[in-house]
């Protein structure tokens, strides 16, 4: 028997710590093709700021630690992984998410000009970090896909993710 899955967090809940290991590799084609490779190992804390009756909620995520790995053209250009980690460390975002896990809004806190420039167009990329729940009832073994598009700083990409529900525990 399946269930309709929805998020229902309570304001003030959180302080969960999440570790994410993200790797991006892209090839820019043109007269001088180049490959850009970057990996980020992030340790983030999350806190629910407020929750609405419709199940939507606002969450703050803060990067507690960040380590970057650079390859391809970034490494050849002498980009500094330490500097990337320093820029990311301490970064906090406020995200509004609906009950199905879809991102409604995203904003970076603070006024670091370098970070603010990164925000332009990256909301779609950031959105891929949230698990959208299916509309219909599902049970263990259910599989669903999420598709999206990103157009950030001149890079266009199609984002695809597949999710599988391994188990249902509890009543919520």
């Amino acid at each position: 028997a399946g269930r309709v899955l929805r998020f229902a967090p309570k304001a003030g809940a959180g302080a969960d710590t999440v570790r994410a290991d993200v790797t991006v590799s892209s090839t820019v084609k043109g007269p001088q093709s180049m490959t850009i490779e970057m990996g980020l190992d992030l340790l983030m804390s999350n806190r629910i700021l407020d929750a609405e009756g419709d199940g939507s909620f606002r969450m703050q995520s803060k990067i507690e630690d960040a380590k970057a790995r650079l390859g391809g053209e970034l490494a050849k250009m002498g980009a500094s992984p330490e500097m990337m980690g320093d820029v990311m460390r301490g970064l906090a975002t406020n995200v509004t998410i609906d009950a199905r896990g879809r991102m409604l809004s995203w904003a970076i806190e603070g006024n670091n000009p370098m970070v603010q420039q990164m925000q332009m167009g990256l909301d779609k990329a950031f959105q891929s970090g949230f698990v959208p729940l299916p509309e219909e009832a599902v049970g263990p073994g259910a599989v669903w896909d999420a598709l999206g598009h990103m157009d950030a700083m001149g890079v266009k990409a199609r984002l695809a993710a597949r999710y599988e529900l391994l188990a249902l525990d509890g009543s919520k």
Side-chain angles (χ1 to χ4, degrees), residues 43 61-66 85-93 109:
L43 181 65
S61 293
K62 183 176 180 185
I63 298 175
E64 303 294 343
D65 193 22
D86 290 345
V87 168
M88 301 289 289
R89 198 171 297 109
L91 178 71
T93 59
E109 291 183 0

Side-chain angles (χ1 to χ4, degrees), residues 91-122:
L91 178 71
T93 59
N94 285 324
V95 183
T96 303
I97 303 166
D98 74 6
R100 283 194 48 214
R102 297 173 297 192
M103 187 179 72
L104 304 175
S105 67
W106 175 69
I108 295 175
E109 291 183 0
N111 56 8
N112 179 328
M114 187 174 196
V115 172
Q116 292 296 330
Q117 187 175 6
M118 287 172 40
Q119 179 175 344
M120 296 172 53
L122 289 179

Side-chain angles (χ1 to χ4, degrees), residues 66-169:
K67 293 181 179 68
R69 301 176 306 279
L70 305 178
E73 295 300 318
L74 290 174
K76 288 179 188 173
M77 292 185 303
S80 165
E82 293 79 17
M83 186 188 80
M84 291 255 334
D86 290 345
V87 168
M88 301 289 289
R89 198 171 297 109
L91 178 71
T93 59
N94 285 324
V95 183
T96 303
I97 303 166
D98 74 6
R100 283 194 48 214
R102 297 173 297 192
M103 187 179 72
L104 304 175
S105 67
W106 175 69
I108 295 175
E109 291 183 0
N111 56 8
N112 179 328
M114 187 174 196
V115 172
Q116 292 296 330
Q117 187 175 6
M118 287 172 40
Q119 179 175 344
M120 296 172 53
L122 289 179
D123 56 340
K124 294 288 185 188
F126 192 72
Q127 184 175 5
S128 67
F130 295 95
V131 178
L133 301 174
E135 184 65 38
E136 67 281 354
V138 294
V143 174
W144 65 96
D145 296 320
L147 301 174
H149 298 280
M150 178 182 77
D151 187 352
M153 297 183 287
V155 175
K156 293 183 181 191
R158 182 174 160 249
L159 306 171
R162 174 162 282 182
Y163 301 97
E164 179 180 1
L165 181 62
L166 300 178
L168 281 171
D169 295 326

Side-chain angles (χ1 to χ4, degrees), residues 45-60:
S45 62
N46 299 307
R47 185 170 53 97
I48 305 301
L49 300 175
D50 50 54
E52 302 297 328
D54 65 359
S56 64
F57 58 98
R58 199 165 54 94
M59 177 176 77
Q60 180 189 60

Side-chain angles (χ1 to χ4, degrees), residues 4-80:
V4 174
L5 304 178
R6 296 295 177 263
F7 290 104
K10 304 282 186 239
D16 292 341
T17 303
V18 177
R19 180 165 296 281
D21 188 358
V22 179
T23 303
V24 176
S25 179
S26 61
T27 300
V28 178
K29 297 188 178 186
Q32 294 184 344
S33 293
M34 71 171 87
T35 300
I36 298 171
E37 297 171 4
M38 180 174 70
L40 290 171
D41 182 17
L42 304 172
L43 181 65
M44 299 179 295
S45 62
N46 299 307
R47 185 170 53 97
I48 305 301
L49 300 175
D50 50 54
E52 302 297 328
D54 65 359
S56 64
F57 58 98
R58 199 165 54 94
M59 177 176 77
Q60 180 189 60
S61 293
K62 183 176 180 185
I63 298 175
E64 303 294 343
D65 193 22
K67 293 181 179 68
R69 301 176 306 279
L70 305 178
E73 295 300 318
L74 290 174
K76 288 179 188 173
M77 292 185 303
S80 165

